[in-house]
Amino acid sequence: MIEPALPPAESYSPQLRTALVLTGTGTAGAYHAGVLRALHEAGVKLDIVAGRGVGVVGAVFAAIDGAQRLWDDKGFWSAPAVRSFYPWRGMLRLAAWSVVVSLAIVAAPLAAVALGLIIFPVDFVLKMVGIGGASGLAGAYLRFAQSAFAPGALPTWLPRLAVLVLGLAGAIALVSGLRSGGGRRQRGRFWWRVVRSPLSASEVTDHCWRVMWDLIRGAARLKQPVPAEIGRRYTELLAENLGQPGFRELLITVHDLDAHRDLVFALVAETRRRGLITRATTAAADARRGEVFDLSGVGRDHVADAIAGALTVPLATDVHEMRFAPDGYWRGETHRVCDRPASLARLLEELSALGVEQAIIVSASPETPGPHALSAPRLDGRGRMGEYLQSSEASAVRDATNVAPGGASNAASGGIARLFTIRPEHNPVGPFDFAGGFDDRSDRRQPLAELMGRGYEDAYRQFVEPVVGASGERVGQGAL
């Protein structure tokens, strides 16, 4: 069992301002859902929820008392659409199938020749038993081969067909690449537009907004609007009910590739909004206007951009383009935003500035216990990318929860001394294994539902029972 950063009985107090921090990529969201369910049942008080990566999904639902939509039978992570998250891009699949079809076409003559290796022995056996007929199979095969390899048959149209298949696939890829230029001018040879990131993040983003719209609209049968409009309605709902039971402050972060900095999107209580940007010196406060966005104001127009950017995996998917307001700090520029695993430290820094005194960090990336824990490396493409992401996220959690001797937190923790972690001891499900992952230790496949159940159990075993139970206190207002 993974111990909290500090002795639980001495450090946890439900009277302190508490934050829940969800960090991870892809399938980690199912683990977050299991943890949220356990905290909901235990009545753990949360004042603010924060997230990066897929953690923003759990954060935005938990902020408006909608966390149940993450784990229920028809919820976010139980829907069949989850299996289609982060698929290989269509053009990449088209290129792969074009090569396969072309190889099959080219191999047709070889298959015809190889057929003779089967026909001649069979024909010999049939003749030996007296049922081979006058001409036999060998004669029929020879007539077929002679006609197939005639000058106007296979040697003529098979190469043409292979070239036609590859040429058609190349033309489709070229047209698709030229149409995917985006809102920014791009540098480099035009053919590099065809070579895009291998995975697509649109499926998980669209699913997030579908489930969110079902929650916001309630029983009303209304057509789903565009994500920007849903985002505005979401912030209005949260801002109007902030402070009510089940509603809590929100903080999420994405990385701006063009500005070389993290962007923070927050909706906090009225008493804390003024210090959200002006808490630093005058010069630093001016720079923070380009980093921190108050979702209760003009920042509400960027909720959809923040979620889309957080669900964008660096290099694995195309970045999300975010256009700023003309009267804002960035003067109408369009920036490329995506997730950054190490931005967990930035989340903790901002939470500390917002008065958070203790934080619960939830990660689906296990920490390697020591020697004799190696497993076979993944060979598939998404598995390789997932291994790197899981390892880097585990390192980010370890750096953030590292506590110096004497109980003082290090700089990576953002100044929050009371840190608690909920994470699995072992997780065979990679970030992109939405159909489940194979566990070498138990020699079986573990579905995503089991990962969600593990988060539920880990929350009770690592936090609710030893930490909340040891405090001997219960919380009410603001509980999940």
Side-chain angles (χ1 to χ4, degrees):
M1 182 178 67
I2 299 175
E3 298 295 336
L6 293 176
E10 300 177 7
S11 61
Y12 176 78
S13 173
Q15 276 72 44
L16 298 179
R17 182 166 164 80
T18 307
L20 176 68
V21 183
L22 306 175
T23 177
T25 303
T27 59
Y31 187 82
H32 298 162
V35 172
L36 284 167
R37 182 178 183 180
L39 299 182
H40 170 78
E41 291 182 357
V44 176
K45 185 206 71 164
L46 297 176
D47 300 288
I48 182 170
V49 286
R52 58 140 294 266
V54 77
V56 303
V57 174
V60 295
F61 278 91
I64 59 171
D65 196 25
Q68 296 90 334
R69 292 297 182 97
L70 298 173
W71 66 72
D72 60 24
D73 294 338
K74 297 182 180 180
F76 188 99
W77 291 105
S78 301
V82 172
R83 287 179 170 265
S84 65
F85 287 177
Y86 295 104
W88 292 106
R89 193 171 295 280
M91 289 310 308
L92 190 61
R93 295 198 299 268
L94 175 62
W97 277 110
S98 299
V99 172
V100 171
V101 172
S102 299
L103 291 177
I105 293 173
V106 173
L110 299 178
V113 173
L115 184 62
L117 300 177
I118 301 175
I119 293 296
F120 284 107
V122 172
D123 179 74
F124 176 77
V125 173
L126 292 177
K127 286 182 178 179
M128 290 292 294
V129 298
I131 60 174
S135 59
L137 289 177
Y141 170 75
L142 290 174
R143 290 190 297 272
F144 162 76
Q146 185 177 8
S147 61
F149 287 93
L154 292 181
T156 300
W157 59 266
L158 278 183
R160 297 176 181 175
L161 184 59
V163 172
L164 179 63
V165 171
L166 292 176
L168 181 61
I172 295 176
L174 181 61
V175 172
S176 176
L178 293 176
R179 294 179 58 187
S180 63
R184 296 266 310 270
R185 185 180 65 178
Q186 298 175 330
R187 293 182 298 172
R189 302 294 183 181
F190 74 92
W191 54 75
W192 282 109
R193 293 186 179 182
V194 181
V195 185
R196 301 174 61 188
S197 298
L199 305 183
S200 171
S202 59
E203 289 76 9
V204 61
T205 305
D206 294 342
H207 183 64
C208 177
W209 289 118
R210 282 195 299 268
V211 180
M212 178 62 70
W213 177 241
D214 288 340
L215 175 63
I216 293 177
R217 72 176 181 178
R221 294 296 179 181
L222 301 175
K223 182 180 178 181
Q224 179 177 332
V226 297
E229 177 61 25
I230 303 177
R232 284 189 288 268
R233 296 192 185 190
Y234 172 86
T235 55
E236 291 172 1
L237 175 65
L238 180 56
E240 292 173 358
N241 293 275
L242 200 59
Q244 299 298 320
F247 289 82
R248 47 191 60 85
E249 299 172 24
L250 175 67
L251 182 71
I252 57 181
T253 182
V254 298
H255 184 69
D256 189 335
L257 287 176
D258 293 293
H260 303 167
R261 64 181 75 182
D262 292 327
L263 304 182
V264 179
F265 301 84
L267 202 162
V268 296
E270 182 68 31
T271 56
R272 301 182 185 276
R273 289 174 186 169
R274 185 174 183 83
L276 188 64
I277 298 177
T278 60
R279 64 179 174 85
T281 61
T282 303
D286 183 67
R288 280 181 61 82
R289 291 195 300 112
E291 298 179 356
V292 182
F293 299 86
D294 182 6
L295 297 180
S296 62
V298 295
R300 71 183 61 187
D301 295 329
H302 295 309
V303 175
D305 293 313
I307 293 178
L311 296 177
T312 296
V313 183
L315 297 180
T317 66
D318 286 346
V319 294
H320 176 73
E321 293 187 349
M322 173 179 174
R323 185 173 183 177
F324 296 97
D327 57 347
Y329 180 85
W330 295 108
R331 302 301 181 187
E333 293 180 353
T334 299
H335 288 199
R336 300 165 298 159
V337 296
C338 63
D339 179 38
R340 185 174 74 95
S343 61
L344 172 62
R346 179 61 186 272
L347 275 180
L348 295 176
E349 176 187 347
E350 295 294 334
L351 289 172
S352 177
L354 290 171
V356 169
E357 299 164 285
Q358 58 189 11
I360 308 165
I361 301 176
V362 182
S363 171
S365 300
E367 185 173 0
T368 304
H372 309 297
L374 293 178
S375 60
R378 298 284 294 270
L379 295 177
D380 57 298
R382 298 206 304 177
R384 293 181 182 182
M385 290 185 287
E387 282 184 327
Y388 172 78
L389 286 171
Q390 199 170 57
S391 177
S392 61
E393 289 169 0
S395 298
V397 174
R398 183 179 64 251
D399 294 341
T401 56
N402 182 30
V403 179
S409 62
N410 65 359
S413 68
I416 304 176
R418 305 185 181 194
L419 294 176
F420 308 92
T421 58
I422 301 175
R423 58 195 304 192
E425 297 178 359
H426 173 61
N427 180 16
V429 182
F432 299 119
D433 295 336
F434 295 99
F438 185 81
D439 186 11
D440 292 332
R441 298 187 184 182
S442 59
D443 195 29
R444 65 182 182 87
R445 177 165 291 276
Q446 296 189 12
L448 209 58
E450 190 168 337
L451 178 61
M452 191 185 308
R454 185 178 298 113
Y456 178 85
E457 296 171 358
D458 288 345
Y460 268 102
R461 188 172 64 253
Q462 299 178 18
F463 181 74
V464 175
E465 294 174 354
V467 179
V468 177
S471 70
E473 300 182 67
R474 191 80 168 174
V475 298
Q477 181 75 12
L480 268 174

